[in-house]
Amino acid sequence: MSAQQTIGPFWHLIDQPDWWDLTRFGAAGARIAIEGRITDGAGAAVADAAVELFQASPARDAVFPGYGRVAADAEGRFRFATVMPGPLPGPRGANAQQAPHCGLALHARGLLRPLFTRIYFAGDALNATDPLLSLVPAARRDTLVADETSPGVWRRDIVLQGEGETVFLDF
């Protein structure tokens, strides 16, 4: 790929420093942090990525933006402040509710389109019947499930390829 084909990184053009905090306008619900690290197939940090998080408010809160964006740091780390999402109705025709989750879009050098994935929360009973999560082979579901590393802090790393590659969704 030549420099003329590279689409970024231009994150400084879209950086809004406070967008990492989805609670910045006030938000109803249990406050949590979502953090992780983005690595490539060789295990190296992806330091020039932008991560977008989108989710529904559990309280259908009018001041909750439902969207955030953050740039990965030099070690490929990202962090969002948000509220724990609630369950959602299943897609049209599905009887099961969707488990609480957040959607992520990842923009990085060499990607002409963002990569989409989800973050589910370990221990939620609805994970077992979530319509989308149940389509993912059992051996790979853990790439979508965040663990609570300390009270209110959930971690899910993103691996772009190779061993432990995160499941990406095709919308």
Side-chain angles (χ1 to χ4, degrees):
M1 178 178 280
S2 70
Q4 292 83 4
Q5 294 171 312
T6 301
I7 61 167
F10 301 114
W11 313 136
H12 67 281
L13 299 177
I14 57 173
D15 186 33
Q16 296 293 328
D18 60 345
W19 281 17
W20 69 274
D21 184 358
L22 282 73
T23 67
R24 66 189 177 275
F25 302 121
R31 292 178 185 237
I32 63 169
I34 296 174
E35 61 186 20
R37 185 169 183 254
I38 306 163
T39 56
D40 64 17
V46 178
D48 62 351
V51 182
E52 298 174 331
L53 181 138
F54 41 98
Q55 72 173 84
S57 165
R60 306 297 185 258
D61 187 349
V63 299
F64 182 71
Y67 171 82
R69 179 188 302 129
V70 67
D73 69 11
E75 297 299 317
R77 295 178 302 226
F78 63 92
R79 183 178 175 96
F80 290 97
T82 188
V83 293
M84 180 61 82
L88 294 170
R92 187 175 36 187
N95 291 326
Q97 280 189 309
Q98 295 182 64
H101 66 276
C102 297
L104 290 182
L106 176 70
H107 305 266
R109 181 182 333 196
L111 297 176
L112 297 180
R113 289 185 275 178
L115 297 175
F116 296 97
T117 190
R118 281 187 174 181
I119 292 179
Y120 292 88
F121 300 90
D124 193 290
L126 289 175
N127 287 350
T129 57
D130 181 87
L132 188 140
L133 194 55
S134 65
L135 295 174
V136 176
R140 304 229 20 240
R141 287 183 191 148
D142 65 334
T143 71
L144 297 176
V145 179
D147 295 312
E148 191 171 20
T149 57
S150 61
V153 178
W154 295 84
R155 183 177 181 91
R156 178 71 258 153
D157 292 339
I158 299 172
V159 180
L160 296 182
Q161 61 185 3
E163 178 122 9
E165 178 181 337
T166 299
V167 171
F168 296 105
L169 309 171
D170 188 13
F171 290 116

Short mmCIF file of all heavy atoms in Angstrom, two decimals, residues 3 17-18 107 113 118-119 122 128 145-147 154 163 170:
data_model
loop_
_atom_site.label_atom_id
_atom_site.label_comp_id
_atom_site.label_asym_id
_atom_site.label_seq_id
_atom_site.Cartn_x
_atom_site.Cartn_y
_atom_site.Cartn_z
N ALA A 3 1.53 5.51 0.19
CA ALA A 3 1.02 6.58 1.03
C ALA A 3 -0.25 7.20 0.45
O ALA A 3 -1.11 7.66 1.18
CB ALA A 3 2.09 7.66 1.21
N PRO A 17 -11.69 15.54 23.05
CA PRO A 17 -11.08 14.99 24.25
C PRO A 17 -12.04 14.44 25.30
O PRO A 17 -11.69 13.52 26.03
CB PRO A 17 -10.27 16.15 24.80
CG PRO A 17 -10.03 17.05 23.64
CD PRO A 17 -11.22 16.89 22.75
N ASP A 18 -13.24 14.96 25.37
CA ASP A 18 -14.16 14.49 26.41
C ASP A 18 -15.08 13.36 25.94
O ASP A 18 -15.89 12.86 26.72
CB ASP A 18 -14.98 15.65 26.97
CG ASP A 18 -15.83 16.34 25.93
OD1 ASP A 18 -15.61 16.14 24.72
OD2 ASP A 18 -16.75 17.10 26.32
N HIS A 107 -11.05 1.89 14.02
CA HIS A 107 -10.44 2.51 12.84
C HIS A 107 -8.93 2.49 13.06
O HIS A 107 -8.46 2.88 14.13
CB HIS A 107 -10.89 3.96 12.69
CG HIS A 107 -12.37 4.13 12.64
ND1 HIS A 107 -13.07 4.19 11.47
CD2 HIS A 107 -13.28 4.24 13.64
CE1 HIS A 107 -14.36 4.35 11.73
NE2 HIS A 107 -14.51 4.38 13.04
N ARG A 113 -12.12 0.20 5.91
CA ARG A 113 -13.40 0.27 6.59
C ARG A 113 -13.18 -0.10 8.05
O ARG A 113 -12.29 -0.88 8.36
CB ARG A 113 -14.41 -0.70 5.97
CG ARG A 113 -14.87 -0.25 4.60
CD ARG A 113 -15.94 -1.16 4.10
NE ARG A 113 -15.30 -2.30 3.46
CZ ARG A 113 -15.91 -3.31 2.94
NH1 ARG A 113 -17.22 -3.39 2.99
NH2 ARG A 113 -15.26 -4.29 2.36
N ARG A 118 -18.40 -6.50 19.37
CA ARG A 118 -19.22 -6.19 20.53
C ARG A 118 -18.47 -6.56 21.79
O ARG A 118 -17.57 -7.39 21.76
CB ARG A 118 -20.53 -6.99 20.52
CG ARG A 118 -21.59 -6.44 19.60
CD ARG A 118 -22.88 -7.19 19.79
NE ARG A 118 -23.95 -6.58 19.01
CZ ARG A 118 -25.20 -7.01 19.01
NH1 ARG A 118 -25.55 -8.06 19.75
NH2 ARG A 118 -26.11 -6.41 18.29
N ILE A 119 -18.90 -5.94 22.88
CA ILE A 119 -18.42 -6.31 24.21
C ILE A 119 -19.62 -6.72 25.04
O ILE A 119 -20.55 -5.92 25.24
CB ILE A 119 -17.67 -5.15 24.89
CG1 ILE A 119 -16.37 -4.85 24.16
CG2 ILE A 119 -17.41 -5.47 26.36
CD1 ILE A 119 -15.58 -3.70 24.75
N ALA A 122 -19.12 -10.61 31.29
CA ALA A 122 -19.03 -11.94 31.89
C ALA A 122 -20.04 -12.06 33.03
O ALA A 122 -20.24 -11.13 33.81
CB ALA A 122 -17.62 -12.19 32.42
N ALA A 128 -26.13 -16.45 27.56
CA ALA A 128 -26.38 -17.82 27.11
C ALA A 128 -27.42 -17.89 26.00
O ALA A 128 -27.42 -18.84 25.21
CB ALA A 128 -26.80 -18.69 28.29
N VAL A 145 -16.32 -11.22 25.27
CA VAL A 145 -16.81 -11.07 26.65
C VAL A 145 -15.75 -10.40 27.52
O VAL A 145 -14.62 -10.88 27.63
CB VAL A 145 -17.22 -12.44 27.23
CG1 VAL A 145 -17.71 -12.29 28.67
CG2 VAL A 145 -18.30 -13.09 26.36
N ALA A 146 -16.16 -9.29 28.13
CA ALA A 146 -15.26 -8.56 29.02
C ALA A 146 -15.33 -9.15 30.42
O ALA A 146 -16.37 -9.64 30.86
CB ALA A 146 -15.66 -7.08 29.08
N ASP A 147 -14.20 -9.13 31.11
CA ASP A 147 -14.11 -9.57 32.49
C ASP A 147 -14.04 -8.36 33.41
O ASP A 147 -13.41 -7.35 33.07
CB ASP A 147 -12.86 -10.44 32.70
CG ASP A 147 -12.93 -11.73 31.92
OD1 ASP A 147 -13.98 -12.41 31.99
OD2 ASP A 147 -11.95 -12.06 31.24
N TRP A 154 -14.31 -3.07 33.53
CA TRP A 154 -14.43 -4.22 32.63
C TRP A 154 -13.36 -4.13 31.56
O TRP A 154 -13.14 -3.06 30.98
CB TRP A 154 -15.82 -4.22 32.00
CG TRP A 154 -16.89 -4.44 33.01
CD1 TRP A 154 -17.48 -3.49 33.80
CD2 TRP A 154 -17.46 -5.68 33.38
NE1 TRP A 154 -18.39 -4.08 34.63
CE2 TRP A 154 -18.40 -5.43 34.39
CE3 TRP A 154 -17.27 -7.00 32.96
CZ2 TRP A 154 -19.16 -6.42 34.98
CZ3 TRP A 154 -18.03 -8.00 33.54
CH2 TRP A 154 -18.95 -7.71 34.54
N GLU A 163 -3.62 -15.81 16.79
CA GLU A 163 -4.11 -16.50 17.98
C GLU A 163 -4.95 -15.57 18.85
O GLU A 163 -4.54 -14.46 19.17
CB GLU A 163 -2.94 -17.03 18.79
CG GLU A 163 -3.36 -17.70 20.05
CD GLU A 163 -2.89 -19.14 20.12
OE1 GLU A 163 -2.10 -19.56 19.26
OE2 GLU A 163 -3.33 -19.82 21.04
N ASP A 170 -19.82 -8.54 10.47
CA ASP A 170 -20.01 -8.01 9.14
C ASP A 170 -21.42 -7.45 9.04
O ASP A 170 -22.38 -8.20 8.93
CB ASP A 170 -19.79 -9.12 8.11
CG ASP A 170 -19.79 -8.59 6.69
OD1 ASP A 170 -19.70 -7.37 6.51
OD2 ASP A 170 -19.87 -9.41 5.77
#
